[in-house]
């Protein structure tokens, strides 16, 4: 009897262990091994292309992909991914040793051809040698088409080509390999989600976008990162830097309370801001901040002194990443309520609210401090430009004026 059931027990045990293993891996948000293999970083050297490839098909430069894939290239050029090796990154990696620089390149320029150095691992020790395939022009292109679509010169894509194909020549680069993972949020995770063992502050990972999404209704209803950030397969990846995108994320309501207010009464105004359109916290990163500025104004629009109240939405941290001052980000489908209570000192007053977005607030503070402390000339040029960019990216998201008195 026992002999007969033993194999069943063993098989059962293997099945249970297997299921547990798979479940716990998924739970630790490791992607399928297929995707793991695809997103090895750095992306290994492409090697020799097939002899049948024309020079334009061998090239790793985005503009050469763009000679056939015009729309994707035009979009990508306007995206932050194309600017991922901007002054702010170069200004910092310039003075770094290979190991630290490559930790940045992992997300900002993930192709091995974009790295000056190549890591050689022998047994347990590793060393860095000069990369003979290094291409500085390609490095400056940031997150390229090839990083997401090409391995060993073979093209990988989502398949089901859209109307775009009509504009393409009949065939090129030996066709392509279709992969489902292009349409999954896990595809974006490697660079937009820290692993559970990576840097935490105040018990929370510094980058947690995928996990925020995973815990939201968007994951359960299968609305992916691509659905919101690549609608119609556009290659624009708009986010916090784009006013229209943030307007879609936030619903802002103002309830002025029981008006008209008498002179000497206190206002009881409620400003409610709801995250109706982002599949993660708004903002998801520690780098932006959103200021809600509230004031009483007179009939000429002048702001009355001592009536200013500011509320900041964001995860505000110190420059050395060691202290979190506050975290007021808004989770998906959640809202915050700000109460404005001030004494009405005279007649004819109105309530004014403005919402200002600073997409690069952390970098602004960081670059300013860096310029004050750092004297390397080459580096300063880049950092100055980066500081300038971080100032220019701010914009007004919303403004409104509400009557309080007759
Ligand atoms: C190889 C790493 C990598 C992958 C993969 C990746 N990203 Fe990015 N992404 C970055 C980097 C780096 C930046 C910042 C670029 C910069 O501004 O310097 C960025 C910026 C963005 C932004 C810009 C936000 C803003 O500041 O306005 C959005 C949106 C975005 N990515 C969405 C996605 C989505 C969606 C996917 C998956 C389809 C994806 N990314 C895949 C590295 C990556
Ligand atoms: C896990 C992926 C990842 C790694 C590793 C990473 N970054 Fe980024 N970086 C991003 C993403 C995503 C953004 C855009 C969101 C934001 O602004 O926080 C970004 C934005 C930036 C920006 C602001 C945008 C710009 O182009 O000026 C700078 C500067 C920057 N990173 C520098 C670095 C440096 C230096 C390192 C290495 C020490 C590094 N990053 C490592 C993902 C990464
Ligand atoms: C950050 C990663 C990333 C980068 C960089 C990127 N793509 Fe894509 N690409 C994707 C994803 C993801 C999809 C599928 C999107 C979907 O299905 O929603 C896609 C789809 C495509 C498609 C199929 C389009 C269609 O309409 O069927 C083509 C062609 C393509 N990309 C070419 C390019 C070219 C050319 C570049 C550079 C100019 C580029 N991609 C840069 C991630 C990327
Ligand atoms: C000479 C024109 C040409 C050049 C250059 C070219 N492609 Fe293509 N690409 C095509 C054609 C044609 C197809 C459709 C192939 C097929 O259906 O077999 C295609 C298909 C693809 C697909 C599959 C799209 C899908 O629906 O999944 C991707 C991804 C892609 N190319 C990326 C690239 C990248 C990245 C580069 C640059 C490194 C590049 N291509 C350079 C012509 C070109
Ligand atoms: C339901 C739509 C939706 C989904 C799903 C979604 N996003 Fe967003 N995302 C937005 C909107 C709207 C914004 C602009 C508001 C903001 O910055 O938070 C945004 C902003 C961003 C930013 C800008 C940086 C910041 O601090 O906010 C990044 C990066 C980003 N998304 C990446 C992702 C990634 C990666 C995924 C998938 C794991 C994803 N998003 C899923 C709508 C979405």
């Amino acid at each position: 009897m026992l002999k007969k059931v033993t194999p069943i027990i063993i098989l059962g045990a293997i099945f249970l262990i297997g299921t547990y293993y798979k479940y716990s891996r998924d739970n630790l948000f490791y992607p399928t091994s297929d995707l793991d293999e695809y997103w090895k970083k750095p992306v290994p050297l492409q090697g020799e292309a097939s002899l049948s490839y024309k020079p334009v098909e061998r090239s790793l430069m985005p503009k050469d992909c763009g000679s056939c894939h015009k729309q994707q290239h035009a979009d990508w050029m306007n995206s932050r991914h194309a600017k991922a090796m901007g002054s702010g990154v170069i200004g910092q990696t310039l003075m770094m040793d290979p190991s630290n620089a490559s930790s940045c390149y992992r997300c900002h320029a993930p192709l091995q051809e974009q790295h000056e150095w190549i890591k050689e691992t022998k047994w347990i020790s590793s060393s860095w040698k000069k990369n003979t395939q290094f291409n500085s022009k390609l490095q400056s292109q940031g997150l390229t088409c090839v990083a997401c679509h090409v391995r060993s010169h073979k093209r990988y894509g989502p398949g089901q080509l859209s109307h775009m194909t009509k504009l393409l020549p009949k065939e090129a680069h030996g066709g392509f390999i279709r992969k489902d993972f292009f349409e999954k949020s896990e595809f974006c995770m490697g660079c937009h989600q820290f692993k559970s063992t990576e840097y935490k502050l105040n018990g929370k990972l510094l980058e947690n976008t995928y996990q925020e999404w995973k815990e939201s209704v968007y994951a359960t209803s299968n609305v992916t990162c691509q659905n919101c950030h690549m609608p119609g397969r556009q290659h624009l990846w708009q986010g916090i830097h784009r006013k229209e995108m943030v307007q879609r994320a936030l619903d802002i309501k103002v309830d002025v309370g029981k008006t008209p207010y008498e002179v000497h009464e206190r206002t009881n105004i409620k400003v409610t801001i709801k995250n109706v359109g982002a599949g993660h916290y708004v903002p998801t990163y520690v780098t932006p901040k959103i200021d809600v500025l509230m004031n009483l104004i007179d009939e000429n629009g002048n702001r009355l002194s001592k009536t200013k109240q500011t509320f900041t939405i964001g995860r505000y941290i110190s420059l050395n990443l060691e202290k979190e001052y506050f975290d007021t980000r808004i989770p998906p489908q959640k809202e915050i309520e700000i109460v404005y209570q001030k004494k009405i000192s005279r007649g004819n007053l109105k309530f004014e609210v403005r919402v200002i977005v600073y997409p690069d607030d952390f970098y602004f503070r960081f670059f300013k401090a860096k310029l004050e402390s750092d004297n390397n000339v080459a580096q300063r040029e880049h950092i100055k430009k980066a500081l300038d960019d971080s100032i220019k990216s701010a914009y007004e998201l919303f403004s409104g004026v509400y009557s309080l008195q007759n």
Side-chain angles (χ1 to χ4, degrees), residues 216-218 223 228 244-253 272-282 330-336:
S216 77
V217 298
Y218 299 100
V223 178
C228 295
E244 290 75 14
M245 194 74 184
V246 183
Q247 273 171 337
R248 217 172 300 155
L250 298 177
D251 183 43
I252 303 170
K253 284 209 174 72
T272 315
I273 305 182
K274 184 168 181 185
N275 175 357
V276 291
H280 38 70
Y281 286 33
V282 174
I330 317 175
Q333 303 295 322
K334 292 276 186 321
E335 62 182 33
I336 54 160

Side-chain angles (χ1 to χ4, degrees), residues 39 41 43 79-86 89 104-110 143 147-148 182 184-192 224-230 236-242 245 280 285 287-288 359-360 363:
W39 268 129
K41 288 199 212 106
V43 174
S79 78
R80 305 284 306 176
H81 284 158
K83 299 177 180 83
M85 282 301 285
V89 184
C104 312
Y105 295 159
R106 170 161 79 94
C107 298
H108 285 267
L143 179 48
C148 288
F182 279 92
K184 297 198 168 139
S185 289
E186 287 72 18
F187 188 80
C188 317
M189 184 166 75
C191 306
H192 289 284
T224 62
C225 317
Q226 289 87 332
N227 290 149
C228 295
H229 289 287
M230 303 182 73
L236 288 166
W237 300 283
Q238 289 173 344
I240 190 89
H241 288 84
R242 185 76 183 184
M245 194 74 184
H280 38 70
Y285 287 132
T287 49
D360 302 307
Y363 297 110

Side-chain angles (χ1 to χ4, degrees), residues 148 221 262 373 377:
C148 288
S221 49
E262 305 290 332
S373 67
V377 182

Side-chain angles (χ1 to χ4, degrees), residues 347-364:
N348 252 329
L349 291 185
K350 291 184 172 121
F351 174 64
E352 180 200 52
V353 56
R354 287 175 299 148
V355 179
I356 316 285
V357 180
Y358 301 89
D360 302 307
D361 178 67
F362 174 86
Y363 297 110
F364 165 72

Side-chain angles (χ1 to χ4, degrees), residues 125-142:
S125 71
S126 55
S127 57
W128 297 87
K129 63 164 195 184
K130 265 218 143 50
N131 177 10
T132 53
Q133 311 276 310
F134 173 61
N135 179 339
S136 66
K137 259 204 189 128
L138 188 63
Q139 186 191 55
S140 71
Q141 304 288 300

Side-chain angles (χ1 to χ4, degrees), residues 175-215:
F176 68 93
I177 299 157
R178 189 180 173 280
K179 288 285 178 194
D180 288 341
F181 56 54
F182 279 92
E183 291 178 292
K184 297 198 168 139
S185 289
E186 287 72 18
F187 188 80
C188 317
M189 184 166 75
C191 306
H192 289 284
Q193 172 70 50
F194 273 7
K195 293 212 172 73
S196 54
T197 49
E198 282 179 287
Y199 189 68
K200 283 197 189 87
L201 179 56
N202 207 9
K204 294 168 290 184
L205 289 169
L206 207 59
E207 258 191 38
N208 202 32
T209 312
Y210 173 82
Q211 195 57 23
E212 289 164 11
W213 171 80
K214 192 79 184 157
E215 285 160 13

